[in-house]
Amino acid sequence: MNFEDIIVAQRTFFNSQKTKNLKFRKRNLEKLRDLIIKHEELLYEAIYQDFGKSKFDTFTTEISFVLKDIDYYLKNLSSLAKPKKVRTNLANQLGTSKIYSEPLGCTLVIGAWNYPYQLSLSPMITALAAGNTCILKPSEVAENTMKAMAKIINENFPEEYLFVAQGGVDEITEILKFKFDKIFFTGSTKVGQIVYEAAAKNLAPVTLELGGKSPVIVTSSADFDLAAKRIVWGKFLNAGQTCVAPDYILVDEKVRDSFLDALKFQIQKFSYQPNSEHYTQIINQRNFERLVKYIDKDKTYLGGNYDAVKRYIEPTVLHNIDWNDAVMQEEIFGPILPVLTFKNFNEALLIIAEKEKPLAAYLFTKNTEEKENFTSKISFGGGCINDVVMHLSNENLPFGGVGSSGIGHYHGKFGFKAFSHQKAVLERATWGEPDLKYPPYTEKKLSWIKKLL
Ligand code: NAD
């Protein structure tokens, strides 16, 4: 396969203006929706082979998201793409001003493996909805899902419009040498820097959806049972391999023990067994080995067992943890939950503020002042009060990081904007042209201009 030929073909196709047609965009979104539904079993099978993810989890956290995105753009495309009329200032009267949402052109989407369908197909769908061509490079780490997406898409769409490029670091390094009009990347902060550098060489605009250590603060006024239920679900979903999963907990030291009890109760109740419907495997041996090194037996409050053959790590809660522990040095991205304590709420905020800005942050409290301070005093990509993870399921909220957790946003209208250029056009009337701005300049003209401006 020659990437250059495909990129050149996509550029030519984009220049033919066909992708700008709204009917063309809608037809292709409908076609993709039908293909996903038709091949649903293939998609479930592939992800199960990659890391034992169940149908239930795959539908609720991947397929339903992708179908919902298609549905959203089918319903909202006309209004999103419609030129927006804005007020025209005095200096430009008589005139009209409009903003045109213009597709950027030939786009590249690079996906991550942990939600391989959602994180590849959702940005790709957005790129197409906004009127672009797209090359999708899913993660080779979830190899079977990559092949399934390539099969469904490459056998049914012309490569000059949409193409799934398969391969690993060598292939993506080669692709990144070419000029794109937009690069949308989901993955680690380290690789995000490589992609950003490659994009800079061609001045390609980027959206970088990266990771980080997302904290959860639990204060003494929180409803512990509910907090534990929601945190345990969000943390151990996909075996902790979720970019917005709670990475660590900061709990008020006065209530630590009661909260740990509540966590234990929920974990036992949810019964996370190996190879079960509601618990996934660790993606590969490399990550399995990285994660088990974090399990310090002396600091294990609950769990801590693992099975290398099944790539299973039991939901594990660590306590008496401090910032020197190995588990606090990088994003965990697995089913290990360290619990740290704070003496007062401001200290908890300060701890977070001093670290890199996280992709998500969560607060469990009933106290209004704490809620206000949480939203106003610390920076994070997005988050929830009295829940975890769920903010990303509301397409009316922008999703993205800040600082080292990312650049830009997507979902809903925010995604449409990320794949569009906002082109400003002023149209002037062809009659009634005052002489004021034209030479020769005079004192009288200046005094009029001062009055008008
Ligand atoms: P990764 O950075 O290793 O890989 C992501 C993509 O980059 C893959 O498609 C991979 O093929 C490609 N890649 C790898 N090396 C590359 C290189 N040298 N040059 C160019 N591309 C390269 O990330 P991952 O392991 O797939 O995902 C885990 C990370 O992604 C975690 O940090 C997680 O928090 C983050 N993540 C973020 C989001 C988000 O929406 N913000 C979502 C999921 C995952």
Side-chain angles (χ1 to χ4, degrees), residues 23-72:
K23 281 194 185 126
F24 173 88
R25 298 189 214 178
K26 285 183 185 173
R27 241 192 351 264
N28 280 291
L29 290 177
E30 282 161 357
K31 179 175 167 182
L32 184 66
R33 178 196 58 202
D34 296 346
L35 283 166
I36 290 169
I37 293 169
K38 184 174 161 201
H39 293 282
E40 216 174 317
E41 286 304 321
L42 171 76
L43 296 171
Y44 291 138
E45 184 53 33
I47 201 164
Y48 188 78
Q49 278 176 24
D50 279 331
F51 56 124
K53 191 159 160 165
S54 70
K55 226 180 218 188
F56 187 94
D57 268 1
T58 306
F59 181 76
T60 53
T61 66
E62 304 242 35
I63 306 297
S64 69
F65 269 82
V66 170
L67 295 176
K68 195 182 72 168
D69 278 348
I70 294 179
D71 199 42
Y72 173 87

Side-chain angles (χ1 to χ4, degrees), residues 110-115 119 137-141 167-169 172-173 176 185-192 194-195 208-212 241-244 286-287 331 333 359 399-401 405-406 410:
I110 306 173
W113 59 263
N114 58 326
Y115 288 86
L119 300 175
K137 212 300 284 175
S139 172
E140 73 287 6
V141 175
V169 178
I172 188 65
T173 305
L176 281 170
F185 170 81
T186 304
S188 60
T189 302
K190 200 173 108 228
V191 177
I194 298 172
V195 172
L208 301 176
E209 296 286 341
L210 311 176
Q241 302 165 115
T242 302
C243 57
V244 287
R286 191 175 62 80
N287 271 294
E331 182 183 358
F333 220 54
L359 179 60
F399 180 73
S405 57
Y410 74 131

Side-chain angles (χ1 to χ4, degrees), residues 51-52 236 238-239 241 267-268 270-285 287-289 291-292 295 302-316 334-336:
F51 56 124
F236 300 109
N238 216 29
Q241 302 165 115
I267 291 172
Q268 287 170 347
F270 289 165
S271 174
Y272 294 99
Q273 300 302 325
N275 299 345
S276 73
E277 261 291 291
H278 46 276
Y279 201 48
T280 23
Q281 289 174 297
I282 303 306
I283 183 72
N284 55 24
Q285 214 57 38
N287 271 294
F288 176 84
E289 279 158 25
L291 287 165
V292 294
I295 303 175
L302 185 73
N305 296 309
Y306 45 85
D307 180 333
V309 177
K310 293 181 177 149
R311 297 202 311 272
Y312 165 79
I313 298 179
E314 198 179 13
T316 299
I336 298 165

Side-chain angles (χ1 to χ4, degrees), residues 2 8 54 58 84 101 106 124 149 234 255 308 332 379 385 400 404 432:
N2 184 340
V8 169
S54 70
T58 306
K84 310 270 179 305
S101 258
C106 183
M124 182 197 87
M149 286 185 276
V255 296
I332 299 168
S379 182
I385 293 170
S404 66

